[in-house]
Amino acid sequence: MDIHRYERLWLAGALVLIVLFIGTITYGAVVVGVEMVSASGGTIAPDEIPNDDRFSDPRPRVEQVGENEYEAYVIARQFLFQPRQLRVPEGSTVTFYVTSPDVLHGFEVVGTNANMMVIPGQVTKATVEFEEAGSYGVVCNEYCGAGHHTMEGSIEVVPQSEWEGGN
Ligand code: CUA
């Protein structure tokens, strides 16, 4: 069977592209560390959220777990974050656990590397280091209904000199 020269060139080009595409994905996963929404936070049935220790009263909350380490438990729901505002000290490392009882939401901490998809039934986890004091906005970046644009919160990163450990 005779394959035209151009046909062979296109075949070779397509093969090179396939290898390149696999290469970029491998590079992103292995070298850069890009991850899919991780299941490491675990799963939670949406109707069990009120009965779950992490997310039920007097929670959601932020909790100190190490010298400069905190864990924050947040519920994203139509159309607010609970709690709406979290306080942590400057220089702290905060691991967020976020879940939703209703629909898909987003949890983006503006100006940081945290940009999570909040999926009902799953606890999404991400860790952020807050090196500088200030007010960091939290926005929902997945369209979740009529009040989507009003869904916002904030992380108040308090200077060490003003931090007394309270929330
Ligand atoms: Cu929640 Cu958009």
Side-chain angles (χ1 to χ4, degrees):
M1 186 174 70
D2 188 39
I3 302 177
H4 194 278
R5 195 164 64 93
Y6 285 151
E7 194 93 56
R8 268 182 281 152
L9 277 174
W10 280 111
L11 281 170
L15 275 175
V16 168
L17 278 178
I18 290 170
V19 170
L20 271 177
F21 291 153
I22 294 173
T24 54
I25 292 169
T26 307
Y27 176 82
V30 176
V31 182
V32 183
V34 175
E35 286 178 46
M36 293 294 288
V37 172
S38 144
S40 60
T43 57
I44 181 171
D47 54 4
E48 281 300 311
I49 293 173
N51 305 321
D52 188 282
D53 279 353
R54 296 166 295 176
F55 296 102
S56 57
D57 231 24
R59 304 154 178 186
R61 72 210 185 284
V62 56
E63 161 180 309
Q64 186 164 14
V65 293
E67 195 183 342
N68 262 324
E69 288 175 42
Y70 294 79
E71 284 180 349
Y73 295 87
V74 178
I75 296 173
R77 63 166 74 228
Q78 290 170 316
F79 294 101
L80 49 90
F81 294 106
Q82 294 177 297
R84 182 174 289 259
Q85 191 185 75
L86 291 168
R87 290 178 84 242
V88 291
E90 178 183 17
S92 59
T93 301
V94 183
T95 301
F96 293 94
Y97 294 85
V98 191
T99 194
S100 162
D102 42 41
V103 301
L104 190 73
H105 294 281
F107 185 88
E108 178 179 356
V109 184
V110 179
T112 71
N113 61 341
N115 185 354
M116 304 142 76
M117 194 181 269
V118 186
I119 302 167
Q122 189 158 323
V123 180
T124 309
K125 177 183 169 190
T127 301
V128 184
E129 289 175 33
F130 291 100
E131 297 297 342
E132 288 178 30
S135 181
Y136 293 75
V138 175
V139 293
C140 174
N141 55 17
E142 299 285 347
Y143 182 73
C144 53
H148 162 70
H149 63 287
T150 66
M151 196 167 162
E152 56 184 17
S154 73
I155 317 285
E156 302 301 324
V157 180
V158 181
Q160 282 290 349
S161 57
E162 294 169 27
W163 179 254
E164 286 146 23
N167 280 289

